[in-house]
Amino acid sequence: MRENIPDQPGSLIAPRPAPPERKLPWGRLDAFWLLLIAALLAAGALRAQGAFSYEWNWSSVWPYIIKTDPKTGQWAPNLLVQGLLTTLRLALWGMALALAIGLLMGWMRNHPRLLLRLISASYVMTVRNIPPVVFVFVFVYFIASQFMPSLALDQRLSELPASAQEVLAVLFGPAALINNFFLGLVCLSVFSGAYVTEIVRAGLQAVPPGQAEAARSLGMSEGDSLRFVVWPQALRQVLPALSGQFIQLIKDSSLVSLVSIQELTFMAQDVQVSTQRVFEVFVLTAAVYFCICFVLSQSLAYLERRHARAR
Amino acid sequence: MSQALIQIEGLNKWFGQHHVLRDIHLSVQAGQKVVICGPSGSGKSTLIRCLNQLELHQEGSIRFEGRLIEDDAAQRQQLRRQMGMVFQQFNLFGHLSVLQNCVLPQMRVLGLSQAQARERAMQLLERVRIPEQADKFPAQLSGGQQQRVAIARSLCMQPKVMLFDEPTSALDPEMIKEVLDVMTELAESGMTMLCVTHEMGFARRVADSVVFMDQGCLVEQAAPEEFFSKPRSARTRDFLAKIL
């Protein structure tokens, strides 16, 4: 643009609008790759169909989602929905409990006192370095069996007033299964808590030491410095890693089906046995897990974006 | 001579086997401006970090207003609120806005209300000429602006002494002046200041006393005219020749 050339030497060039932004980064080559991938997938699907002939039959699966009550004739949730509710309860309380364990243990992991560091390091090392299935069995049959009976949760529950029992039933599931539910919940939280611990430790270590020094130099107490300066920044940093761990926790909740906690995976196996429709039930269950995890990951991503803006 | 505000006697400190402060004696009167200079690794930062006990010394004594500083968490906290500290890396709280950076310590340490703390914070942000940035986050500011906020944040606590640990070393040349201007103005207002810096122009202009340190020892202390025109030790002459 000729008219923008400065006529006097040394004067600044006037700003002018930026050229239009490039279109979507999408070219012919991309279209080719997409077609190729689609073709490969289609070929694979066709081959699979030829290789084993499976008669899809969904109709016998549906009744296990919602049934009609034979006595009242009304609709009632059947096994799969009951399982889903247990899974959701496990996930929700599991996240809260795993986070609580992780915050405490993560803090201990960086503590100047050797004993606290040792305790939390042994916890993390033990849980992380044994296979999850082994952990579940050992935890439930050797560790939880020591203290769960003495808690006698179901008995305590039955002594509560009816209104309280109703609320607790919504939060923790049917009263008859409360011992069972807590067993699964504690097992899942202790397992997941080890990973949260490591995430929290990394977050605390990622806050520059200068932040705590500045807080101290202003006369803030050690506790205030942690509470108002170090922790908020540590947690903000680990939010993405924590979301990943929470999604993992939802899927890991299927592990406790091994010890007869009647959550989604357990119920699905039940339904597979009674209907003989193995793949239909698998596909359905996977879709449900996907939906839960997808919704959670999207909400957490939203939270991350909001916090990112605050920085 | 009146009682010194800060009295350091026979201060020794080691990092592991490394003897970083060797038998330091130094006294600072109220209202005095002391500039500490020396090559890197000479222990000057460690010295002022010992003053507000961010580093703990192993031998010797530090007295503040005549009171011996002991190994006691409550006293340490009390001490720090009376000594402002400005760091080389600013160390503003990244998750808080400029205003909140100044408000939080006032509320937690001095027990002021939100309104009182805000008012004082705005006064001091004006004093460092940055009130319009109050609602921004530290990462949105230039280095010079961040350092001025850090100074304001310290001043909010109404300290009796200000410690500066190389406050301009992490800044672009264009921004050094705006920070030094604020510091000069603070000095003129009568604040007691201890400042580790390589800005010799600032030392000449503002300091009552210049301290030269090398290898953990306090080599020389003199008024600026004398320090710059006829340094006594060869080591000081050598250092000045390199940086002036």
Side-chain angles (χ1 to χ4, degrees), chain A residues 210-222:
Chain A
Q211 294 286 312
E213 273 183 5
R216 265 183 282 155
S217 80
L218 288 159
M220 286 168 77
S221 67
E222 218 55 52

Side-chain angles (χ1 to χ4, degrees), chain A residues 211 213 216 224 228 310, chain B residues 49 80 91-92 95 108 137:
Chain A
Q211 294 286 312
E213 273 183 5
R216 265 183 282 155
D224 275 359
F228 294 102
Chain B
R49 286 165 62 87
R80 285 175 185 151
N91 292 351
L92 293 178
H95 62 306
R108 298 305 304 177
F137 284 86

Side-chain angles (χ1 to χ4, degrees), chain A residues 209-222 224 227-230 232-233 236 309-311, chain B residues 49 52 54 77 80-81 83-85 87 91-96 104-105 108-109 137 139 153-154 157:
Chain A
Q211 294 286 312
E213 273 183 5
R216 265 183 282 155
S217 80
L218 288 159
M220 286 168 77
S221 67
E222 218 55 52
D224 275 359
R227 181 172 153 209
F228 294 102
V229 176
V230 177
Q233 298 190 71
R236 228 162 267 215
R309 236 180 295 148
R311 277 213 73 124
Chain B
R49 286 165 62 87
N52 72 351
L54 283 181
Q77 219 174 304
R80 285 175 185 151
R81 60 184 261 192
M83 289 188 176
M85 174 110 174
F87 299 86
N91 292 351
L92 293 178
F93 304 139
H95 62 306
L96 299 178
L104 173 71
R108 298 305 304 177
V109 179
F137 284 86
R153 180 176 70 175
S154 283
M157 309 305 287

Side-chain angles (χ1 to χ4, degrees), chain A residues 125-144 187-188 190-191 195 252 254-259:
Chain A
M125 292 309 155
T126 312
V127 174
R128 281 209 313 186
N129 297 332
I130 58 176
V133 176
V134 178
F135 171 81
V136 170
F137 278 111
V138 170
F139 185 85
V140 169
Y141 291 113
F142 291 94
I143 301 173
C187 175
L188 180 64
V190 169
F191 175 71
Y195 295 88
D252 287 342
S254 63
L255 278 172
V256 297
S257 66
L258 290 170
V259 287

Side-chain angles (χ1 to χ4, degrees), chain A:
Chain A
M1 296 222 177
R2 283 231 156 256
E3 58 270 38
N4 271 350
I5 292 174
D7 42 12
Q8 284 179 355
S11 72
L12 292 173
I13 298 168
R16 56 194 173 88
E21 296 232 353
R22 286 282 200 87
K23 292 259 172 62
L24 272 179
W26 179 266
R28 265 184 220 166
L29 197 59
D30 298 305
F32 167 74
W33 286 120
L34 185 66
L35 279 176
L36 192 69
I37 293 166
L40 279 172
L41 286 176
L46 275 175
R47 258 183 72 95
Q49 219 174 19
F52 67 73
S53 52
Y54 185 78
E55 297 272 327
W56 293 91
N57 176 5
W58 290 90
S59 57
S60 56
V61 177
W62 301 137
Y64 287 93
I65 299 175
I66 288 179
K67 64 178 174 192
T68 34
D69 197 309
K71 277 178 244 160
T72 58
Q74 278 180 333
W75 284 4
N78 203 353
L79 295 183
L80 288 177
V81 173
Q82 287 166 13
L84 170 63
L85 288 175
T86 306
T87 290
L88 287 176
R89 287 184 188 114
L90 273 177
L92 214 64
W93 294 111
M95 280 189 251
L97 204 53
L99 186 62
I101 294 174
L103 291 179
L104 178 70
M105 286 287 177
W107 168 74
M108 281 165 61
R109 202 97 161 76
N110 281 330
H111 202 278
R113 273 175 96 149
L114 180 63
L115 177 68
L116 296 184
R117 282 206 308 279
L118 275 178
I119 292 173
S120 110
S122 334
Y123 162 61
V124 171
M125 292 309 155
T126 312
V127 174
R128 281 209 313 186
N129 297 332
I130 58 176
V133 176
V134 178
F135 171 81
V136 170
F137 278 111
V138 170
F139 185 85
V140 169
Y141 291 113
F142 291 94
I143 301 173
S145 61
Q146 311 280 323
F147 62 87
M148 281 307 282
S150 57
L151 289 179
L153 287 171
D154 44 355
Q155 212 179 340
R156 278 159 208 252
L157 201 65
S158 63
E159 289 159 9
L160 291 173
S163 56
Q165 282 194 32
E166 266 171 49
V167 175
L168 287 173
V170 173
L171 293 177
F172 300 108
L177 293 174
I178 197 87
N179 272 339
N180 188 277
F181 175 80
F182 264 92
L183 195 60
L185 175 62
V186 173
C187 175
L188 180 64
S189 310
V190 169
F191 175 71
S192 213
Y195 295 88
V196 178
T197 299
E198 281 301 274
I199 292 173
V200 169
R201 175 188 65 88
L204 283 172
Q205 283 174 345
V207 178
Q211 294 286 312
E213 273 183 5
R216 265 183 282 155
S217 80
L218 288 159
M220 286 168 77
S221 67
E222 218 55 52
D224 275 359
S225 154
L226 281 176
R227 181 172 153 209
F228 294 102
V229 176
V230 177
W231 277 102
Q233 298 190 71
L235 292 183
R236 228 162 267 215
Q237 291 216 10
V238 301
L239 211 52
L242 218 47
S243 336
Q245 189 53 44
F246 283 159
I247 288 158
Q248 188 70 43
L249 179 142
I250 293 182
K251 292 180 292 171
D252 287 342
S253 71
S254 63
L255 278 172
V256 297
S257 66
L258 290 170
V259 287
S260 310
I261 316 297
Q262 304 185 356
E263 43 68 77
L264 185 55
T265 303
F266 182 89
M267 293 301 204
Q269 281 165 346
D270 236 24
V271 174
Q272 280 174 338
V273 171
S274 28
T275 58
Q276 304 290 314
R277 306 313 310 171
V278 175
F279 291 104
E280 285 85 343
V281 177
F282 264 149
V283 169
L284 186 66
T285 317
V288 172
Y289 275 110
F290 179 87
C291 289
I292 304 174
C293 293
F294 187 74
V295 168
L296 180 71
S297 66
Q298 291 300 305
S299 349
L300 288 171
Y302 169 76
L303 209 69
E304 274 169 40
R305 280 199 301 276
R306 257 189 36 192
H307 275 288
R309 236 180 295 148
R311 277 213 73 124

Side-chain angles (χ1 to χ4, degrees), chain B residues 51-63:
Chain B
L51 282 179
N52 72 351
Q53 297 282 287
L54 283 181
E55 301 287 356
L56 303 181
H57 56 279
Q58 283 115 330
E59 283 175 17
S61 68
I62 303 173
R63 282 169 195 281

Side-chain angles (χ1 to χ4, degrees), chain B residues 195-237:
Chain B
C195 185
V196 174
T197 186
H198 296 294
E199 297 295 326
M200 290 301 131
F202 174 78
R204 232 186 263 266
R205 229 177 25 249
V206 171
D208 302 309
S209 173
V210 182
V211 169
F212 176 69
M213 287 182 70
D214 190 27
Q215 293 176 35
C217 305
L218 199 159
V219 177
E220 182 163 351
Q221 179 174 14
E225 318 82 68
E226 197 189 326
F227 182 84
F228 290 110
S229 57
K230 35 184 193 297
R232 271 169 283 158
S233 90
R235 191 64 199 86
T236 314
R237 275 195 292 279

Side-chain angles (χ1 to χ4, degrees), chain B residues 7-23:
Chain B
Q7 183 81 46
I8 303 172
E9 270 159 17
L11 194 72
N12 276 288
K13 172 154 182 75
W14 289 262
F15 284 131
Q17 285 303 308
H18 184 44
H19 198 172
V20 281
L21 291 179
R22 308 183 193 173
D23 206 28

